Amino acid sequence: MSVDEDRIVKKMVAEIADSNEKFMSHSQDMENFKRIVPVLLEKGIDNVNLSMFDEVTKSKLLNSLGEEYIRRGNMNDSVKAFILAGNRQRLVEVGEHYEEVGMFGNAIDTYRLADSNDRLLVIGKTCLENGHFSDAIKAFRLCNDVENLIKVGDECFQKGKWDYAIEIFNAINNTHKLLEIGDKCLKERQIGYASKAYELAHDKDKLSALGDVCLREGLLATALKSYQVAGNDMMVTFIRENFGNKLTNY
């Protein structure tokens, strides 16, 4: 773990542990369970078997285990414990602390596990405003927010973030936008992105036209691929017959 990551985790641990100190001191059950927690820690959350306990007891044990993992800085296993305990509120709180220290990807994953669409929507908007497009896309996709996905896609289109724009409009099956991206990329000679956009849009005419452009510019391999995907057998044969010696890998 780097120095920055260690500092961030320690800050998060301190804040969360402090917020739970009163809760644990006022619960006699938790005090009793704390005697068992070291054994569970040694066993490991992935190997613990609590099937002999009733659901209430099992939940309390898992919550105690989760809090101890937080105290020790093991955030991943604390999340596992809270999932098994069905403690969605605690998961959301862990996600909020991740968000506060700028660990947006971790926060999104935790909100997803907590099934908190409200928090996913909020963090998605935050990520969009700060230019964290990948995280914004992930958050909006998880909560099925098509309207905001389109906003991210348009923003990425304007900024030339072709990978993200193509990913979004393919995910929401927006063929018109995919073709628009393809045309823009072709105009700017971003051939790879144009090919990907046209292929995802299943537009054989555009792919054939792209093949023609590549052929004129001597991009034989790309032209061949475009014609193949377009199902343009005539041009595939033409390239193979006339330039086969230059396409040894195809």
Side-chain angles (χ1 to χ4, degrees):
M1 179 181 292
S2 69
V3 174
D4 288 341
E5 290 174 332
D6 183 64
R7 177 178 56 79
I8 289 171
V9 170
K10 284 182 178 178
K11 178 178 182 293
M12 185 187 308
V13 169
E15 291 175 350
I16 297 178
D18 287 344
S19 71
N20 283 280
E21 185 175 351
K22 291 184 179 180
F23 169 74
M24 295 191 72
S25 64
H26 284 84
S27 173
Q28 186 60 46
D29 282 341
M30 287 299 184
E31 289 298 325
N32 291 333
F33 289 140
K34 282 170 66 176
R35 302 171 186 173
I36 306 175
V37 166
V39 178
L40 300 181
L41 287 168
E42 184 177 352
K43 185 75 172 177
I45 186 64
D46 293 324
N47 301 310
V48 167
N49 180 0
L50 303 177
S51 60
M52 68 290 300
F53 297 109
D54 60 58
E55 290 302 315
V56 174
T57 303
K58 186 189 303 183
S59 178
K60 290 180 178 179
L61 279 169
L62 287 167
N63 279 309
S64 291
L65 186 58
E67 299 299 343
E68 183 61 21
Y69 276 130
I70 287 177
R71 193 184 70 80
R72 296 183 178 212
N74 188 339
M75 306 306 293
N76 288 336
D77 282 346
S78 75
V79 168
K80 291 179 183 179
F82 291 135
I83 291 171
L84 293 173
N87 194 337
R88 293 174 59 186
Q89 180 57 39
R90 202 68 183 93
L91 286 170
V92 168
E93 290 170 1
V94 172
E96 288 172 347
H97 279 81
Y98 272 132
E99 190 173 350
E100 287 172 5
V101 295
M103 300 176 69
F104 298 115
N106 295 64
I108 290 168
D109 287 337
T110 308
Y111 292 146
R112 174 183 62 83
L113 293 169
D115 196 26
S116 179
N117 284 347
D118 290 344
R119 293 305 310 172
L120 285 170
L121 179 59
V122 171
I123 195 173
K125 291 180 178 178
T126 299
C127 290
L128 176 58
E129 291 170 0
N130 289 282
H132 301 298
F133 297 116
S134 179
D135 289 328
I137 293 169
K138 183 177 181 179
F140 290 140
R141 288 187 71 173
L142 286 170
C143 60
N144 296 314
D145 191 325
V146 175
E147 181 179 351
N148 276 302
L149 277 172
I150 292 174
K151 289 181 181 179
V152 182
D154 288 338
E155 183 78 10
C156 291
F157 180 86
Q158 295 300 323
K159 294 181 179 295
K161 306 282 187 181
W162 307 122
D163 275 333
Y164 294 142
I166 290 171
E167 177 187 348
I168 290 170
F169 292 123
N170 180 53
I172 62 177
N173 298 313
N174 193 324
T175 300
H176 174 74
K177 284 290 187 178
L178 285 172
L179 293 177
E180 188 177 350
I181 293 170
D183 292 344
K184 179 71 171 177
C185 288
L186 179 56
K187 183 179 180 180
E188 297 184 1
R189 287 302 183 263
Q190 297 289 329
I191 301 298
Y193 289 125
S195 177
K196 184 177 181 180
Y198 290 150
E199 184 174 351
L200 290 171
H202 305 290
D203 193 308
K204 294 184 177 182
D205 291 337
K206 292 283 188 180
L207 283 165
S208 281
L210 175 62
D212 294 341
V213 171
C214 293
L215 182 59
R216 288 196 298 271
E217 297 185 2
L219 303 173
L220 299 177
T222 305
L224 178 61
K225 180 182 177 182
S226 296
Y227 290 136
Q228 288 174 327
V229 177
N232 191 335
D233 295 334
M234 181 182 72
M235 291 306 297
V236 169
T237 301
F238 173 79
I239 291 179
R240 289 193 182 281
E241 290 294 329
N242 291 278
F243 305 102
N245 60 323
K246 298 181 180 181
L247 297 165
T248 54
N249 294 328
Y250 294 85

